[in-house]
Amino acid sequence: MVLDGAMEALEGLDRLVDHSERGAKIAVEMILSDMRDYSKNHAPFMDRTGNLRNSIQYEMNPDGSPGGTLYAGMEYAIYVELRDGYWVLQGAIDYFEPAIE
C-alpha cells in the first residue's frame, strides 16, 4: 500500500514537471517574440532595403528545452550593432532584461 502511494506521488510529480517545462517554453517563446518585434520596430538604424530588419528572428532550442536565440541574419548586423548610437538587438535585450530576470 505504501508503495502504491509513492508511485502515485511520483506520477503526480512527473506531471508537474512536464507542466512546468511547457510553461517555461511558452514564456521563453513569448519573450523572444516580443524582443523580435521590439527590435524590428524600434532599432535606430535606417534600413534602406529592409533586409536587416526582416532578418531579425528567433528560434527555440532544437532539443526542446526551454530556451532560444534572438538573432539578426544579415552578416553586417554586427557592424551596425557596434556603431555608436545604433543597435540591432542590444536595445531589445536591455529593454526586456527586467522581464527576463
Side-chain angles (χ1 to χ4, degrees), residues 52 55 71-82 87-89:
L52 180 54
S55 78
Y71 66 92
M74 301 306 293
E75 291 181 19
Y76 60 89
I78 188 65
Y79 301 107
V80 176
E81 188 78 56
L82 294 174
W87 58 265
V88 178
L89 303 176

Side-chain angles (χ1 to χ4, degrees), residues 6-20:
M7 293 305 290
E8 283 181 35
L10 287 173
E11 289 170 4
L13 183 58
D14 284 343
R15 286 192 302 274
L16 179 63
V17 167
D18 288 343
H19 182 70
S20 295

Side-chain angles (χ1 to χ4, degrees), residues 4-83:
D4 290 338
M7 293 305 290
E8 283 181 35
L10 287 173
E11 289 170 4
L13 183 58
D14 284 343
R15 286 192 302 274
L16 179 63
V17 167
D18 288 343
H19 182 70
S20 295
E21 286 179 1
R22 277 192 303 258
K25 288 180 205 174
I26 291 168
V28 167
E29 187 160 14
M30 286 176 59
I31 288 181
L32 285 171
S33 176
D34 288 348
M35 290 173 72
R36 177 203 55 207
D37 295 345
Y38 185 86
S39 291
K40 286 184 173 189
N41 293 323
H42 295 92
F45 60 85
M46 180 177 284
D47 195 5
R48 299 178 199 278
T49 64
N51 290 339
L52 180 54
R53 230 171 265 282
N54 288 330
S55 78
I56 299 171
Q57 297 296 327
Y58 72 91
E59 61 184 38
M60 298 299 290
N61 286 348
D63 64 2
S65 64
T69 304
L70 179 70
Y71 66 92
M74 301 306 293
E75 291 181 19
Y76 60 89
I78 188 65
Y79 301 107
V80 176
E81 188 78 56
L82 294 174
R83 289 189 62 197

